[in-house]
Amino acid sequence: MKKFDKDRLILGFAGPVLALVVAFALTTVVLLASGKNPFEPYRLMFDSAAYVDVQVLIINQAGTYYLAALAVAIGFRMNLFNIGVDGQYRLAAMMAALVGASVDLPGPLQIALIVIVAMLVGAFWAGIAGFLKTTRGVSEVVSTIMLNSIATALVAWLILPKNFGVQPAGSNNLTTGDIPESAWFPGLSMGAEAGEIYGFTFVAAACGVIYWFVLNRTRFGFDLRATGESESAAQASGVDAKKMVLTSMLISGAVAGLAGMPTLLGDTHTYSLDFPTGIGFTGITIALLGRNNPIGIAFSALLIAFLDKTSASLDQFGYEKEIATIMQGLIVISVVVSYELVRRYGTRRQQQKVGEELAAGHALTTEKEAAL
């Protein structure tokens, strides 16, 4: 039976906790510097979270964030930085919406088709970066940033009325047309006033379970983690590192494609100019804060969703709602710094333990030699 490692558990919690404490402390300093009450916004946000409708909004937003963060985390576990999740997510959502609005199938088949299209488009767009990295050595950071811009331009072109877009009468908005009601993903009703929890939020939770199982209980997951730790060592053990890089990017993109499904199938039922953006970049924050662990990512997604949804009413009380954005930015900075501090402490602690064990072993050997 594997011995319980208390130090490892403590260090695992220390990074996120330290990051959050520092982020909240710095946000408090910002509020003080602006001449505002440093504690009142927090109270207002918690008061807002007491309403059931806000709780539903938080859970729904967390589901979307969770999928985006899983997509980022898959890349991180392979030592890949997939910054292109946002472009993959938006392009996938739009293409899935186009197909959903133009094809008429029985409800379950229509939903399955929409989801498959989203995954394929996301995987294809991420696969471009994976292909460039494995064949030309192009950094995935550079290629995915450029692909984000290309995806933005491509979506803007595709949604024009002269191409595939639809402009509703009396509106300046452009959409892909509505998905038939039979293809709406059923949700969990929380009452007439509260609304419903998107059904795809539960699919997001299932994706987290699959992510954990594949990474920790399959040969593919072991190869992926091994390649992320040391590509040369993985190759020496018979793993095709380039194949793992490409496969990881494809899977990351496919999961990124799913990130738009809670909103598309549970709320808007169409892709339009006001479809949520920036989800992929928020996913980076959540994956970092959650340390690429599915449970850690879940709590991080709920925290960021809480900040987003409860800060919306702050301006009614004289506080800028951008406080939440400031806090999220500070969390990113704090995560990087705190994790490095914890890593250094963990390294020193490990070296100390090894030294203590060697000293104890030497003392035992000396005692045995003296006894003889």
Side-chain angles (χ1 to χ4, degrees):
M1 184 175 179
K2 187 177 181 180
K3 185 179 178 181
F4 177 72
D5 192 343
K6 183 178 69 173
D7 287 348
R8 184 177 180 182
L9 181 64
I10 292 174
L11 290 174
F13 279 103
V17 171
L18 180 60
L20 291 177
V21 170
V22 172
F24 277 94
L26 291 176
T27 303
T28 302
V29 171
V30 170
L31 288 168
L32 281 171
S34 61
K36 300 292 182 66
N37 186 319
F39 304 110
E40 184 71 7
Y42 303 137
R43 184 189 67 79
L44 293 172
M45 291 167 75
F46 278 105
D47 288 345
S48 177
Y51 294 96
V52 179
D53 58 335
V54 176
Q55 294 171 6
V56 170
L57 290 173
I58 291 172
I59 293 173
N60 286 337
Q61 188 68 68
T64 298
Y65 284 163
Y66 189 68
L67 287 168
L70 284 181
V72 175
I74 291 169
F76 280 159
R77 296 307 294 263
M78 256 296 296
N79 203 24
L80 297 171
F81 203 173
N82 182 9
I83 303 181
V85 168
D86 200 65
Q88 296 150 22
Y89 140 84
R90 286 186 288 114
L91 186 60
M94 182 188 181
M95 295 303 297
L98 278 174
V99 172
S102 59
V103 176
D104 187 13
L105 297 173
L109 292 178
Q110 184 93 336
I111 292 173
L113 176 63
I114 292 171
V115 171
I116 290 172
V117 168
M119 293 181 69
L120 289 176
V121 172
F124 169 75
W125 207 245
I128 296 174
F131 177 78
L132 291 174
K133 184 174 182 66
T134 54
T135 59
R136 299 297 180 185
V138 178
S139 169
E140 75 281 359
V141 175
V142 175
S143 59
T144 51
I145 289 176
M146 295 180 68
L147 285 167
N148 273 342
S149 299
I150 296 172
T152 300
L154 185 58
V155 167
W157 180 78
L158 289 172
I159 206 170
L160 290 174
K162 65 179 182 180
N163 296 319
F164 300 99
V166 176
Q167 184 172 5
S171 173
N172 291 326
N173 201 3
L174 298 176
T175 78
T176 55
D178 294 329
I179 296 173
E181 188 171 350
S182 60
W184 296 3
F185 203 97
L188 177 63
S189 177
M190 301 301 292
E193 296 183 358
E196 66 177 27
I197 298 174
Y198 300 153
F200 218 86
T201 299
F202 300 100
V203 176
C207 288
V209 175
I210 296 171
Y211 167 83
W212 173 86
F213 180 81
V214 171
L215 278 181
N216 297 283
R217 293 293 184 269
T218 67
R219 173 60 188 271
F220 172 79
F222 175 79
D223 289 346
L224 186 148
R225 289 183 286 114
T227 308
E229 291 290 336
S230 174
E231 187 172 318
S232 58
Q235 286 180 324
S237 63
V239 177
D240 188 338
K242 289 187 176 182
K243 180 180 178 182
M244 290 303 300
V245 168
L246 181 58
T247 303
S248 298
M249 287 299 294
L250 289 171
I251 295 174
S252 178
V255 177
L258 290 178
M261 295 302 98
T263 302
L264 180 64
L265 296 178
D267 182 23
T268 62
H269 311 297
T270 187
Y271 186 95
S272 63
L273 294 178
D274 53 7
F275 202 79
T277 59
I279 300 297
F281 298 107
T282 305
I284 296 173
T285 301
I286 294 169
L288 286 171
L289 184 59
R291 305 201 72 167
N292 303 321
N293 179 283
I295 296 177
I297 291 173
F299 283 112
S300 301
L302 285 169
L303 171 64
I304 300 301
F306 166 83
L307 294 175
D308 280 351
K309 298 305 178 183
T310 59
S311 63
S313 60
L314 285 180
D315 53 359
Q316 300 177 13
F317 301 92
Y319 293 93
E320 291 76 10
K321 59 184 178 180
E322 285 73 21
I323 289 172
T325 305
I326 294 172
M327 190 176 296
Q328 290 180 28
L330 291 173
I331 286 174
V332 176
I333 298 173
S334 303
V335 161
V336 175
V337 175
S338 65
Y339 283 5
E340 179 61 20
L341 291 175
V342 169
R343 185 192 67 79
R344 292 184 181 183
Y345 173 80
T347 300
R348 288 197 302 268
R349 176 59 180 161
Q350 190 66 30
Q351 291 171 345
Q352 182 183 358
K353 288 176 67 176
V354 171
E356 291 172 354
E357 291 174 0
L358 289 174
H362 178 71
L364 182 60
T365 301
T366 303
E367 289 178 5
K368 288 181 177 180
E369 290 175 349
L372 293 174

